[in-house]
Amino acid sequence: MTSTTAIVTGAGQGFGLALTTALAARGGTVVVCARDARRLHAATAGLPGVLALPGDVTDAGFRAELVAAAGERLDLLVHNAGELGPSPLPGLARYPLDALRGVLETTVLAPLALTQLALPLLRAAGGTVVALSSDAAVEAYEGWGGYGAAKAALDQIVAVLGVEEPVVRAYAFDPGDMRTAMHQRAFPGEDISDRPDPATVVPAFLRLLDERPTRGRYRASDLAPAGTAP
């Protein structure tokens, strides 16, 4: 069986780390990145086949480094890195535009640029692109206008990619609420211990990879095995 290679962005903690751990257990090579070098190396130390590259996906040179690290084959590209924006979440009437530019740069432009670089390898492998989405991309929640707009744009990019690149599977994956540092920043001072651990959502993501359904947007709750909750 041919060994697989994946790139996962934003893998230093949360869902990105949980997914990296699961992919590493399956074998192959997993190239991962995050901005915090110390956290990334500590989190991924000892995981077989994981190559940790600290860096920022908004940097063009670093994006090229990520793709180069994949070598001659790339089966999976996961856009997990994102930017919440200001915390507490501001309403659109007073949303700082510079902050919104940062959200869009990390959540929309960087994933598109990285995909553009990776497409030759993905085409050759008949690979898969998955972008982490959010219900804020399709629902109107007070305070979530900036983040939600960015995720909606990313969803649309992935949808169009799936039409334009017929040999590449392209999905938006909505994991639902999770107990992550970003989610905590969205609700400062609140107890989010009732949210699911990211590791419990990973099986739904793996099912998406294994079953390779028609391109589109999928929720973890729709992919979870019967009788389980993501």
Side-chain angles (χ1 to χ4, degrees), residues 115-216:
T115 300
Q116 290 172 338
L117 287 177
L119 267 175
L121 292 176
L122 289 165
R123 289 175 184 138
T128 302
V129 177
V130 186
L132 266 288
S133 185
S134 166
D135 58 344
V138 294
E139 301 289 346
Y141 299 132
E142 182 178 352
W144 289 84
Y147 181 82
K151 286 297 187 181
L154 183 60
D155 278 8
Q156 181 66 0
I157 284 174
V158 171
V160 174
L161 180 71
V163 173
E164 295 178 344
E165 300 290 338
V167 302
V168 175
R169 293 284 181 170
Y171 307 112
F173 175 77
D174 179 359
D177 287 350
M178 295 183 290
R179 193 166 64 249
T180 64
M182 179 181 286
H183 199 78
Q184 184 66 77
R185 284 188 60 234
F187 299 97
E190 295 188 25
D191 181 8
I192 65 166
S193 60
D194 61 329
R195 273 66 165 187
D197 185 276
T200 66
V201 183
V202 169
F205 188 101
L206 297 179
R207 183 178 179 185
L208 181 67
L209 296 185
D210 293 341
E211 296 186 357
R212 290 175 64 83
T214 304
R215 61 183 181 270

Side-chain angles (χ1 to χ4, degrees), residues 71-147:
E72 298 181 353
R73 182 183 181 91
L74 182 59
D75 301 274
L76 173 65
L77 173 58
V78 182
H79 296 301
N80 177 69
E83 177 60 52
L84 176 68
S87 175
L89 299 174
L92 290 176
R94 55 186 180 85
Y95 202 106
L97 296 186
D98 284 345
L100 180 56
R101 290 187 185 96
V103 172
L104 294 171
E105 184 72 33
T106 301
T107 309
V108 183
L109 298 181
L112 175 57
L114 182 56
T115 300
Q116 290 172 338
L117 287 177
L119 267 175
L121 292 176
L122 289 165
R123 289 175 184 138
T128 302
V129 177
V130 186
L132 266 288
S133 185
S134 166
D135 58 344
V138 294
E139 301 289 346
Y141 299 132
E142 182 178 352
W144 289 84
Y147 181 82

